[in-house]
Amino acid sequence: MNVGFVGLGAMGRGMAANLVRAGHAVQVWNRSPGPVAELVAQGASEAAGLEAVFANDVVISILSDDAAFESVLLDPRLLEGAAATVHVNMATISVDLADRAAALHAEHGLGYLAAPVMGRSDVAAAGKLNIVAAGDSGLLDHVEPLFAAMGQRTWRMGDRPHQANVVKIAGNFLIACAIESVAEACALAEARGINSTDLVDLLTSTIFPGVIYTGYGSMVAERRYEPAGFRVVLGLKDVSLALSAGAEANVPLPFGSVLRDSFVDAIAHGDADLDWAAVAEVIRRRAGLAEAGS
Amino acid sequence: MNVGFVGLGAMGRGMAANLVRAGHAVQVWNRSPGPVAELVAQGASEAAGLEAVFANDVVISILSDDAAFESVLLDPRLLEGAAATVHVNMATISVDLADRAAALHAEHGLGYLAAPVMGRSDVAAAGKLNIVAAGDSGLLDHVEPLFAAMGQRTWRMGDRPHQANVVKIAGNFLIACAIESVAEACALAEARGINSTDLVDLLTSTIFPGVIYTGYGSMVAERRYEPAGFRVVLGLKDVSLALSAGAEANVPLPFGSVLRDSFVDAIAHGDADLDWAAVAEVIRRRAGLAEAGS
Amino acid sequence: MNVGFVGLGAMGRGMAANLVRAGHAVQVWNRSPGPVAELVAQGASEAAGLEAVFANDVVISILSDDAAFESVLLDPRLLEGAAATVHVNMATISVDLADRAAALHAEHGLGYLAAPVMGRSDVAAAGKLNIVAAGDSGLLDHVEPLFAAMGQRTWRMGDRPHQANVVKIAGNFLIACAIESVAEACALAEARGINSTDLVDLLTSTIFPGVIYTGYGSMVAERRYEPAGFRVVLGLKDVSLALSAGAEANVPLPFGSVLRDSFVDAIAHGDADLDWAAVAEVIRRRAGLAEAGS
Amino acid sequence: MNVGFVGLGAMGRGMAANLVRAGHAVQVWNRSPGPVAELVAQGASEAAGLEAVFANDVVISILSDDAAFESVLLDPRLLEGAAATVHVNMATISVDLADRAAALHAEHGLGYLAAPVMGRSDVAAAGKLNIVAAGDSGLLDHVEPLFAAMGQRTWRMGDRPHQANVVKIAGNFLIACAIESVAEACALAEARGINSTDLVDLLTSTIFPGVIYTGYGSMVAERRYEPAGFRVVLGLKDVSLALSAGAEANVPLPFGSVLRDSFVDAIAHGDADLDWAAVAEVIRRRAGLAEAGS
């Protein structure tokens, strides 16, 4: 398949390489030239510009955030001239922007799919991503060979693109909930003279296995928040996205409201750039347990 | 070892049988006679009364709740005459009662250990429990062979018995948090036309494996709350135990506060005797999503 | 009317004096003798003991808390021999205890009314209390002349005594809500460089007049929490009473839950004995605004 | 003084009339012509267009919301040619927009003041508004005679215009808190068989006087939410403005978070267009008390 690929960041690089490896004709575009050269060395071709990218049958993009996506790709003149069948946006963006993007593409006769991914850059490089996809099912069928080259499984969530974004936001919301839950449990334990590491070890060895409780649990117990895999400010942003997505659909999210207050509190104490597990320090401070370690 | 065993409910039966199987001399006592006969058939002996139970080297008890433990075993006359070295309470009781029990046993020169367990009756029967233990380390060493016969692992949490109870309460608190988190995520998804079962399937297949998210996740998604493994009223009781244990140690638990309000709300709507996963209906009702299924 | 009066604290003293002044025959009893002498000097007589008190037609008591009431007056032998028509409990006690007291009095053929009051000791001395009363309406009619001597108005709230206690608890809950509301508004203002005193001055001069917003508002704005009119620990106790009264009747109180966490937080920071307006420091700390003043 | 006045809604009409009455030369502009004729009949003159309005010494505007203000007046071409000394925005707008408006006016050498008001249209007509003002103190001195003609008092809150908007938002936040507090207290009372109207009557006659508790208290107690003075959707908007203003300044607002969830819940149940006191039905529903009345 002819694929135009926009966004060769930590994630995009591995994903594009896997498309090349699977035999697709991949034309890449990136703001900075380094990653382009790297991909060309692996068999991709360099796109002359974004217009060229949109001349391919399928366009895949994965840019860092709403602002980048909006400024680089949501350009009526770009979409107007596009020959592509479909644009697959694999970035995590807001529900609102997903709706606007879908509408704008439709105006110009272009298909639009949302397909945010679960997994970090090493998983992307290994072609083992979980791909959360939504949009027209015919279009999803059409690009499935591409998903198969990049991921271990595609999870179809509905026929409106924003549904995939909602699912991705819900997943991040659940991670934040798990962190806060563990933080409260650890504060309770510590105030009673129990070692948090012992508590987390017990729980993750028994009823709470998995990367989230194990990874964030040990960070919370050991109060180790650097290097930051995902920063507190981004945590606040994601929780706010969940709250907005909820409010627009009339869904109150009381755990989300607690999380929002906690992330604001963390930022008020200078922890904006620590890993979002640092939200655990909020409850320790509130319980008067924070002096020892921070 | 000579062991007196009190409480042959669903859990105690399997635990006592495993002690017999491991070669210990087990004398059993139970309010109703059926389970006694069953254990005797497996090689245990029947205790003439509670005094006889407390003539053994080690007494193990696992009664249903605070009230049962208090009325059956926290009897000064019983403890006064006891020849036992140590009483191991394997039930889930409150922190307060654990402290009173430890003090009363100490007054009468009797050791007291708390060792609540994780795992249901089938796990107890298989001798695969996780045993959360706290109290004097010499006494814990003394009874470890008994723990080894009943469980796959003993998790020592401190030298004050109530610490094991705090850990058990913290574990149940985390389960309640997981249920509420999943409920909010499902409500968000459903309001956006996404199938909750698909969402739960994705999450439990990827970042949230394990029995809690898988089991409760499917109950929440499918709105299946019967038969009740653990009832809503008990959920409110456990969350209240966590909040009390927190307040006594000056630890606010904002997620716990949300949970308490939600369990009260569930009971106000007649769901007291459903499985505590039914707390998920609270957020569905609040979001106007409840009509279809309940 | 012949009145036995128990409890000559700051409130009771003024109330008993007003009964004497209105021409009633008042027999007083108090644990410490000082206040008794004072009342006798004003025309009351001294009761030989509690049995003598309960030989009067009406018994009025106002003891400091649940424990004092329970230990001094909830004595079956005392009630058994009582000739009194009715016992009017004017203290602020829990709903639970009110129910037990009503039941115990009924068992011994004695009427029981709850009539907690609003107003401080100067208001009590001036005979200007607001009296919140509940219980049998015939009994309420019977004692109304006594209420008239002590208060400016009697507010009847129902025919079950505990209803007056619920109303009193609800009133204190509303005060706590007002304090927290003002604290959050002041934190918001201060973080934006606005003077809290100016904000409180504006609000209390316009839409929020009255003693609560004016008094607590200025305490919060000026961060002045001593001397304590009502301490933080008592605030936590009252909020917990409201939450319990709610839970028993299946009423979630989300503002109450926030308050509970905030009072626990205040106590964790050593503010247990400050005026309960000091709960305002919790939100200032959380917002990183607390350094200047505390 | 020469005054250009934009926005002759329910509030603006009375305010402009009071300026005329005080002897100022008032040139009015409004989208619909009816109110213009009315003001001209009272002695104002009609502005040929917005450019003419901005040729006056002082421009006063009071448009309905952020969107109206932004589209009608935040026009660089309009401000570029303006001869006015200062523009006084008396509408309730967001903190963000206030900052952008101040910056844009400064770019074009025009003063900008924020002066939102407290009071409804009858108060505006009577010239008895409370005016919350912020911005350059020299400019505030300059326009004080105009404020004096429209209000009973000017409350200066700082030298940055947005500070007046923060204060106005904080005031509305406090009103929402009072409504929710009363709602929770009433639900508690009702669940105990106490008449809410009696409770509100007691409270507003004693410690909670003033228009807010009296007015909203009786609406909540009587479940009377029409006609809507201020709608539930606007309540959600205002609470969201408070939360945003808080988050931007690192101030968590836990009562605000509860309010947000409650307003979302109210909207989910079809109450968007009722008076915002209808948020009280949320807690009644949660407590299972709602059937009788709604």
Side-chain angles (χ1 to χ4, degrees), chain A:
Chain A
M1 221 175 283
N2 290 333
V3 180
F5 197 106
V6 179
L8 299 172
M11 297 295 292
R13 231 168 300 181
M15 293 159 70
N18 280 315
L19 291 173
V20 171
R21 210 165 294 140
H24 300 288
V26 182
Q27 215 178 11
V28 299
W29 187 94
N30 195 55
R31 253 197 263 213
S32 59
V36 173
E38 191 187 305
L39 260 294
V40 168
Q42 294 178 64
S45 62
E46 179 174 359
L50 287 169
E51 291 74 16
V53 168
F54 276 78
N56 287 283
D57 178 30
V58 178
V59 176
I60 292 178
S61 68
I62 179 160
L63 293 166
S64 58
D65 58 16
D66 275 33
F69 173 59
E70 196 158 8
S71 68
V72 175
L73 296 178
L74 273 198
D75 177 351
R77 282 162 307 185
L78 178 62
L79 302 183
E80 182 56 42
T85 305
V86 61
H87 174 187
V88 187
N89 184 351
M90 302 188 75
T92 297
I93 63 166
S94 71
V95 172
D96 244 23
L97 184 54
D99 281 342
R100 281 190 285 133
L104 190 65
H105 281 72
E107 265 177 48
H108 296 95
L110 206 62
Y112 179 82
L113 298 171
V117 298
M118 295 171 69
R120 298 206 171 181
S121 57
D122 54 332
V123 181
K128 296 288 186 199
L129 292 168
N130 278 284
I131 298 173
V132 183
D136 178 82
S137 66
L139 292 175
L140 285 169
D141 291 344
H142 184 61
V143 301
E144 180 54 39
L146 304 176
F147 288 161
M150 296 183 286
Q152 61 172 292
R153 180 159 170 192
T154 304
W155 302 83
R156 294 202 186 178
M157 288 295 157
D159 54 12
R160 279 165 288 159
H162 78 228
Q163 293 174 315
N165 300 105
V166 169
V167 167
K168 173 75 182 173
I169 287 168
N172 285 1
F173 167 75
L174 275 173
I175 298 172
C177 286
I179 295 173
E180 171 72 18
S181 307
V182 170
E184 295 190 16
C186 285
L188 177 58
E190 290 168 15
R192 294 291 187 165
I194 298 159
N195 191 307
S196 275
T197 301
D198 291 347
L199 174 66
V200 168
D201 191 17
L202 162 63
L203 292 167
T204 56
S205 303
T206 55
I207 55 178
F208 288 107
V211 66
I212 300 300
Y213 282 87
T214 306
Y216 288 114
S218 66
M219 291 168 79
V220 168
E222 299 163 18
R223 309 177 79 160
R224 175 178 38 82
Y225 308 120
E226 289 173 303
F230 190 74
R231 290 178 303 129
V232 164
V233 278
L234 296 179
L236 176 57
K237 202 189 108 199
D238 268 25
V239 166
S240 301
L241 284 180
L243 286 169
S244 296
E248 286 155 18
N250 297 339
V251 181
L253 297 173
F255 266 19
S257 292
V258 169
L259 287 171
R260 190 178 178 287
D261 285 327
S262 292
F263 279 109
V264 168
D265 185 325
I267 292 169
H269 288 82
D271 292 348
D273 294 320
L274 297 182
D275 189 276
W276 67 336
V279 77
E281 293 304 303
V282 172
I283 200 65
R284 282 201 180 94
R285 255 193 314 271
R286 297 192 65 186
L289 297 165
E291 298 75 13
S294 67

Side-chain angles (χ1 to χ4, degrees), chain D:
Chain D
M1 219 175 286
N2 291 332
V3 181
F5 197 105
V6 179
L8 299 173
M11 297 294 294
R13 231 168 299 180
M15 293 160 69
N18 280 315
L19 291 174
V20 171
R21 210 164 293 141
H24 299 288
V26 183
Q27 216 179 11
V28 300
W29 187 95
N30 195 55
R31 254 197 262 214
S32 58
V36 173
E38 190 186 306
L39 261 292
V40 168
Q42 294 179 64
S45 62
E46 178 174 2
L50 288 169
E51 291 73 17
V53 169
F54 276 79
N56 287 284
D57 179 29
V58 177
V59 176
I60 293 178
S61 68
I62 179 160
L63 293 166
S64 57
D65 58 16
D66 276 33
F69 172 59
E70 197 159 6
S71 67
V72 175
L73 296 178
L74 273 198
D75 176 352
R77 281 164 306 184
L78 178 63
L79 302 183
E80 182 56 41
T85 306
V86 60
H87 175 188
V88 187
N89 185 350
M90 302 188 74
T92 296
I93 62 167
S94 71
V95 172
D96 243 23
L97 183 55
D99 281 343
R100 281 189 285 133
L104 190 67
H105 282 72
E107 264 177 49
H108 296 96
L110 206 60
Y112 180 83
L113 298 172
V117 299
M118 294 170 69
R120 300 206 169 180
S121 56
D122 54 331
V123 182
K128 296 290 186 198
L129 292 168
N130 279 284
I131 298 173
V132 183
D136 178 82
S137 66
L139 292 175
L140 286 169
D141 291 345
H142 184 60
V143 301
E144 181 53 39
L146 304 175
F147 289 161
M150 296 182 286
Q152 61 173 291
R153 181 159 171 190
T154 305
W155 302 83
R156 294 201 186 179
M157 288 294 157
D159 54 13
R160 280 166 288 159
H162 77 229
Q163 292 174 315
N165 300 106
V166 169
V167 167
K168 173 75 181 172
I169 287 167
N172 284 1
F173 167 76
L174 276 173
I175 297 172
C177 286
I179 295 172
E180 171 72 18
S181 308
V182 169
E184 295 189 14
C186 286
L188 177 58
E190 290 167 17
R192 294 291 187 165
I194 297 158
N195 191 307
S196 276
T197 301
D198 291 346
L199 174 66
V200 167
D201 189 18
L202 161 64
L203 292 167
T204 56
S205 302
T206 55
I207 55 179
F208 288 107
V211 64
I212 301 300
Y213 282 87
T214 305
Y216 289 115
S218 65
M219 291 167 80
V220 167
E222 298 162 19
R223 309 176 80 160
R224 176 176 38 82
Y225 308 120
E226 287 173 302
F230 189 74
R231 291 179 302 129
V232 164
V233 278
L234 295 178
L236 176 58
K237 201 189 108 199
D238 267 25
V239 166
S240 300
L241 283 180
L243 286 168
S244 296
E248 286 157 18
N250 297 339
V251 181
L253 296 174
F255 266 19
S257 291
V258 169
L259 287 172
R260 190 178 179 286
D261 285 327
S262 292
F263 280 107
V264 168
D265 185 325
I267 293 170
H269 287 82
D271 292 349
D273 293 320
L274 297 182
D275 190 275
W276 67 335
V279 77
E281 293 304 304
V282 172
I283 199 65
R284 282 202 180 94
R285 255 194 314 270
R286 296 193 65 187
L289 298 165
E291 297 75 14
S294 68

Side-chain angles (χ1 to χ4, degrees), chain C residues 207-231:
Chain C
I207 55 178
F208 289 106
V211 65
I212 301 299
Y213 282 87
T214 306
Y216 288 114
S218 65
M219 291 168 79
V220 167
E222 299 163 18
R223 308 177 79 161
R224 176 177 38 81
Y225 308 120
E226 289 172 303
F230 189 74
R231 291 179 302 129

Side-chain angles (χ1 to χ4, degrees), chain C residues 146-168:
Chain C
L146 304 176
F147 289 161
M150 296 183 284
Q152 60 173 293
R153 180 159 170 191
T154 304
W155 302 82
R156 295 202 186 179
M157 289 294 157
D159 54 13
R160 279 166 289 159
H162 78 228
Q163 292 174 315
N165 301 105
V166 169
V167 167
K168 173 75 180 171

Side-chain angles (χ1 to χ4, degrees), chain B residues 64-87:
Chain B
S64 58
D65 58 16
D66 275 33
F69 172 59
E70 197 159 6
S71 67
V72 175
L73 296 178
L74 272 198
D75 176 351
R77 281 163 307 184
L78 178 63
L79 302 183
E80 182 56 42
T85 306
V86 59
H87 174 188

